[in-house]
Amino acid sequence: MASSNWDRMLRIDLNRRTYAVEETTAQLEEYVGGMGRGVKLLLDEMVAGADPLGPANRLIFSTGPLTGTLAPMFAQTCLVTKSPLTGTILNTYAGGDLGAEIKFAGYDALIFEGQADDWSYIFIDDGHVSFHDAAHLLKMDSLGTEQVVREELGVAQARVITIGLAGQNLVKFAAILSGRRVFGRGGAGAVMGSKRLKAIAIRGTRGLDVYDRGAFLAAVDEANSVINKELANEFSLLGMFSRHGTGSGMGVVNEQGALPTRNHYMGYFADADKIDSYAYARDYPTRIISCYACPVHCGQVHHINKGPWAGLVTRGPEYETMYALGSEVLNSSAEALAKANDLCERLGMDTLTAGTAVALALECAEKGIIKGEGSKLKFGDPRAVLTLLEDIAHRRGLGDLLAEGPGVAARELGGEAPAFAMQVKNSGFAAWMPRRMKGTGLSFATANRGGCHKRAPIGAEIMGFVDMDAVEGKAAMVKEIQDKVNAIFTLVGCRFSEFVLPLESYLALLEGATGTSLSAEEFMTLGERIWNLERVFNVAEGFRRKDDSLPGRCYTPIVGERSKGAVLTEEGMNYMLDEYYSLRGWDSEGVPQAAKLAELGIEAYIARMST
Amino acid sequence: MNQSPLLVNEESCTECESCSLICSIEKTGLTNPKLARVRVVKRWPQPPQLQICRQIDCQGTPCVEACPTEGLYVSGREVVLKEEECTGCLVCVEACPYQAIWFDQERSVPYKCDLCGGAPRCIEYCFVDALLWQDGGENG
């Protein structure tokens, strides 16, 4: 029966330099694809307590049933692994066109396991896999590596995944690059580095089918119609992103006093309009780009044609990076921010956790917690940020400590540092303030991958559909968005698709592509099942309520304009957390109860939590 | 002035490749830009090259000039490829300045954009007007 799924995965063993094609089991197919497949595989294949930087860890690049098809807003690829940054299970996403190429090569997923003695890169050319020595690439940055790998293979249009120096040096928040798109969060780059895998090139020439072409194309047209209607409204989120990129919302967030500034000390950055999307488009030649098959085209390419870094071309920075390497460190220079963004791509690091680690260092220097040479660091000095980013990737001096992640570094630095290390489970905060947006705060605290904004009610809170300051009702909102986004991530839909596509649209696309028919309720339950599986994984690693917590700064009032005095109380946080655990069917320690797992049909995993 | 009914504007292209995808579906039933008759070649950081036949907008129609048989000829505003006349010599593939003629190994014939007989599907899926259908022109 025709389907957009191949029901085949490619497994590559880096110890033996062997590969095998595996059929997917019916049990795995129940998880649809993308994140669901990845979580299920990792949970089943990796024992609790295994070293994320050891041979037992897997790098699972998992596509969805809509990846590679004409369906709009399904360009991303999901990557599941155990995070060396948090110690939790991790799912992280890169846009662009990688996932489509994996599908065209004839696979739904790529699984890398083992650990080689020598550095290599791999070429997946449809059904053929070859291993190549990579020792000569180790001095090259991620983008340079991509170019050389293409030249060596003689395949100009191959998609290439790489790591940079940070991944090689096992920086705990190292990223994996797919062109200029980034698997940013959680340190997947360090996992790839631990396997001594410098790059993966892929070329796929196979055509992808669907179950019912007529029904599928009708669902595509319906989705495009809904999306294009939203895009026509220049004040909708997608309408703004489409015209000006994700950084177009920075002013809106800033006006609400919700833009994390100066290491989350303030919620308003006076110079926000010097580094937002409008500033870039005004001052530098800009070109708009899309992910694969996406009409939203929220990507922006900026040519920095003046100043100390004239000649630099970057994709982005995206909004989240404008915060992490901009407002959070009081960087008012669009040029320095572009340089910092480019540096993180070339070195291969998550801009978010890198930014929070840098901000931590700046504040520690200011407060005298860091002594000696590092004590001269200060906010508002972009050169210091660039130097620290290099030091982290090279693991030099203070950078070596920051490379362990902001939570770990703060404990080591001592004093009151842990209170202003803006992280959850050692993963840096995204660009949102728990004191201002309470539901988003609960999302950060409870996220299975730590400090995560992808399953937060950000749109509802920042657009004012709900009272952002209220704690009441937020637990239910957070649970719903977590389950829903997890479900969408089985198809590997873009996070932004949730802003616009109704559930029926996802289900119609899925049915047209694969013949799989799910009700909205079943789809949401799938998301909940995956959320619980992740939780089981984390509980088995020792995570409990104490880890679902926010740093002390979130419980002290915001300083400065627009949101002065806004605060989250410990009482409010506990109220939300208790309600959340209760709604989830988890005990007061955040451990899923047997009845909940049974209800979700995953009672077989109860035993894992008692090991 | 006579013009191709299909206007191509590479500067506007955002590289989503939807044109290629609907083209490959239309022509082969399967999805893969590598099967399409319009292809987007990314050239970071410059706008992409759009590989698609420019029809009579192509100066001197070199494929027609190069073809040793009657396999390629101008008809109205179009450049028409007639498979039956093709000997598979591939000089047209070499001659095309837009790299917009490909060779089907299995069927041993070249292929290129045929404007879908006057209603090209790619136009429907290009939301940024990088590909535009223009009516009018002397033969329009």
Side-chain angles (χ1 to χ4, degrees):
Chain A
M1 191 97 59
S3 167
S4 62
N5 286 329
W6 295 107
D7 299 329
R8 275 201 303 265
M9 307 185 291
L10 178 66
R11 187 184 295 271
I12 296 179
D13 183 326
L14 292 153
N15 283 100
R16 300 188 187 86
R17 289 198 166 190
T18 55
Y19 64 97
V21 177
E22 295 175 9
E23 305 282 316
T24 49
T25 61
Q27 206 193 9
L28 192 57
E29 281 166 24
E30 284 175 23
Y31 289 84
V32 176
M35 182 195 177
R37 178 194 296 118
V39 168
K40 168 81 173 151
L41 279 170
L42 195 72
L43 195 58
D44 287 348
E45 296 188 6
M46 200 173 172
V47 296
D51 180 4
L53 297 179
N57 202 1
R58 266 79 166 141
L59 273 177
I60 305 169
F61 293 88
S62 186
T63 71
L66 300 176
T67 311
T69 72
L70 184 60
M73 300 189 84
F74 294 89
Q76 296 203 326
T77 305
C78 174
L79 171 54
V80 173
T81 189
K82 182 176 181 181
S83 165
L85 179 68
T86 60
T88 65
I89 194 165
L90 169 72
N91 58 106
T92 177
Y93 299 81
D97 49 22
L98 170 68
E101 204 70 15
I102 294 173
K103 288 292 278 277
F104 299 146
Y107 311 106
D108 296 332
L110 310 175
I111 306 168
F112 295 86
E113 60 189 41
Q115 194 157 45
D117 292 327
D118 301 313
W119 284 90
S120 67
Y121 72 86
I122 290 173
F123 182 32
I124 301 167
D125 192 14
D126 284 331
H128 184 69
V129 180
S130 54
F131 296 78
H132 305 258
D133 182 54
H136 61 299
L137 301 175
L138 298 184
K139 294 225 181 305
M140 268 173 223
D141 66 29
S142 58
L143 301 172
T145 300
E146 177 185 357
Q147 202 176 340
V148 171
V149 165
R150 280 208 187 105
E151 283 166 12
E152 286 185 3
L153 296 173
V155 186
Q157 290 288 310
R159 308 292 176 232
V160 184
I161 310 164
T162 61
I163 56 169
L165 186 64
Q168 290 168 215
N169 286 342
L170 308 182
V171 170
K172 295 290 170 60
F173 44 88
I176 295 176
L177 277 285
S178 168
R180 297 268 173 165
R181 304 281 174 171
V182 189
F183 294 97
R185 309 243 60 196
V191 177
M192 191 156 149
S194 75
K195 300 193 177 308
R196 296 187 184 86
L197 182 55
K198 177 66 173 167
I200 305 159
I202 304 164
R203 175 170 62 181
T205 64
R206 293 171 183 163
L208 206 56
D209 210 346
V210 291
Y211 173 74
D212 179 339
R213 197 174 307 147
F216 180 71
L217 289 178
V220 167
D221 289 345
E222 173 62 22
N224 271 325
S225 151
V226 171
I227 292 166
N228 281 319
K229 200 171 153 197
E230 184 83 353
L231 295 181
N233 174 5
E234 62 181 307
F235 300 111
S236 69
L237 275 177
L238 284 191
M240 285 164 66
F241 292 175
S242 180
R243 287 168 181 78
H244 312 292
T246 58
S248 55
M250 195 171 201
V252 175
V253 181
N254 201 33
E255 282 310 310
Q256 305 225 43
L259 178 66
T261 303
R262 201 186 211 285
N263 197 28
H264 273 72
Y265 183 65
M266 303 183 291
Y268 179 78
F269 184 40
D271 288 338
D273 62 355
K274 292 182 181 163
I275 59 167
D276 69 4
S277 290
Y278 301 102
Y280 280 99
R282 183 187 63 224
D283 295 336
Y284 310 98
T286 294
R287 187 167 77 84
I288 291 174
I289 55 170
S290 301
C291 286
Y292 180 93
C294 184
V296 180
H297 52 69
C298 67
Q300 303 247 317
V301 179
H302 303 296
H303 293 245
I304 306 301
N305 58 0
K306 55 196 172 204
W309 298 286
L312 179 71
V313 185
T314 67
R315 193 194 62 77
E318 300 288 347
Y319 167 65
E320 299 286 340
T321 300
M322 291 172 176
Y323 134 79
L325 299 169
S327 61
E328 189 74 330
V329 293
L330 295 190
N331 174 10
S332 306
S333 161
E335 288 163 10
L337 176 57
K339 177 65 184 173
N341 185 55
D342 185 67
L343 205 50
C344 282
E345 287 188 356
R346 289 179 182 280
L347 296 168
M349 290 196 291
D350 174 25
T351 54
L352 284 178
T353 298
T356 52
V358 167
L360 168 75
L362 300 181
E363 186 157 349
C364 282
E366 187 179 70
K367 289 192 155 65
I369 295 172
I370 291 175
K371 314 237 187 293
E373 190 61 21
S375 65
K376 293 175 195 157
L377 294 167
K378 57 179 194 299
F379 285 100
D381 176 6
R383 296 268 179 186
V385 173
L386 298 175
T387 304
L388 272 175
L389 292 174
E390 294 266 13
D391 287 349
I392 290 169
H394 285 268
R395 282 188 168 272
R396 287 189 296 238
L398 177 62
D400 188 32
L401 178 61
L402 298 176
E404 293 300 308
V408 170
R411 280 199 296 279
E412 188 70 25
L413 288 162
E416 53 176 321
F420 55 78
M422 304 314 290
Q423 49 76 41
V424 174
K425 301 177 178 73
N426 203 29
S427 187
F429 273 21
W432 309 93
M433 299 187 82
R435 283 169 285 178
R436 202 73 186 96
M437 298 159 68
K438 306 295 194 288
T440 300
L442 179 65
S443 296
F444 279 13
T446 57
N448 286 321
R449 64 175 195 171
C452 167
H453 60 297
K454 286 217 170 190
R455 288 91 166 169
I458 288 171
E461 291 197 316
I462 201 70
M463 301 301 270
F465 303 144
V466 295
D467 176 5
M468 66 166 84
D469 278 317
V471 294
E472 293 80 12
K474 294 296 169 69
M477 281 185 74
V478 168
K479 177 185 180 295
E480 186 184 342
I481 195 75
Q482 289 172 337
D483 293 347
K484 186 177 179 189
V485 172
N486 264 15
I488 292 169
F489 283 169
T490 65
L491 307 175
V492 205
C494 173
R495 174 63 182 85
F496 296 158
S497 69
E498 188 269 335
F499 296 158
V500 56
L501 291 182
L503 277 183
E504 298 71 46
S505 196
Y506 295 98
L507 300 172
L509 288 165
L510 173 64
E511 184 164 5
T514 66
T516 300
S517 174
L518 291 180
S519 69
E521 195 187 343
E522 286 168 329
F523 192 53
M524 289 293 285
T525 301
L526 172 66
E528 185 181 13
R529 185 176 301 124
I530 297 164
W531 191 264
N532 277 269
L533 281 184
E534 289 182 275
R535 195 73 186 190
V536 165
F537 187 102
N538 291 351
V539 166
E541 301 295 328
F543 288 89
R544 295 292 185 277
R545 184 185 183 109
K546 64 175 174 18
D547 305 298
D548 290 345
S549 62
L550 301 170
R553 174 147 292 166
C554 295
Y555 303 107
T556 61
I558 294 177
V559 174
E561 292 176 53
R562 302 295 193 283
S563 56
K564 187 177 179 181
V567 72
L568 174 62
T569 62
E570 302 229 17
E571 189 186 14
M573 183 66 201
N574 279 321
Y575 169 84
M576 289 193 294
L577 203 53
D578 285 338
E579 192 179 14
Y580 173 81
Y581 286 161
S582 165
L583 285 167
R584 278 250 170 254
W586 298 352
D587 70 16
S588 62
E589 277 298 302
V591 176
Q593 293 181 326
K596 173 51 79 175
L597 298 188
E599 177 195 316
L600 294 168
I602 48 174
E603 62 275 17
Y605 292 97
I606 294 168
R608 186 181 177 106
M609 294 192 294
S610 54
T611 51
Chain B
M1 194 183 131
N2 255 358
Q3 273 192 321
S4 163
L6 186 75
L7 272 186
V8 181
N9 183 3
E10 290 176 342
E11 295 289 318
S12 301
C13 178
T14 63
E15 311 181 355
C16 79
E17 300 187 70
S18 296
C19 55
S20 298
L21 307 186
I22 191 65
C23 177
S24 79
I25 293 169
E26 185 73 16
K27 297 302 186 188
T28 72
L30 301 175
T31 310
N32 188 330
K34 298 180 191 75
L35 303 173
R37 293 153 188 236
V38 49
R39 300 189 193 179
V40 181
V41 178
K42 296 171 191 180
R43 296 182 294 195
W44 168 273
Q46 271 71 47
Q49 178 198 12
L50 290 178
Q51 296 178 332
I52 183 170
C53 176
R54 264 49 170 197
Q55 311 295 342
I56 60 162
D57 288 351
C58 184
Q59 194 71 38
T61 52
C63 62
V64 175
E65 295 302 310
C67 182
T69 67
E70 302 297 310
L72 282 154
Y73 57 91
V74 173
S75 169
R77 299 193 286 161
E78 286 180 46
V79 172
V80 177
L81 190 156
K82 198 171 178 187
E83 280 186 12
E84 303 88 276
E85 302 290 336
C86 178
T87 60
C89 73
L90 304 186
V91 292
C92 58
V93 175
E94 291 290 319
C96 178
Y98 297 96
Q99 290 84 48
I101 306 178
W102 297 273
F103 190 70
D104 183 332
Q105 305 277 0
E106 278 176 28
R107 295 178 54 241
S108 277
V109 286
Y111 61 96
K112 70 170 199 69
C113 172
D114 61 2
L115 298 173
C116 290
R121 300 299 313 275
C122 54
I123 308 291
E124 296 171 44
Y125 291 85
C126 183
F127 304 115
V128 293
D129 295 347
L131 298 174
L132 264 180
W133 189 252
Q134 57 162 18
D135 291 320
E138 282 174 22
N139 296 358

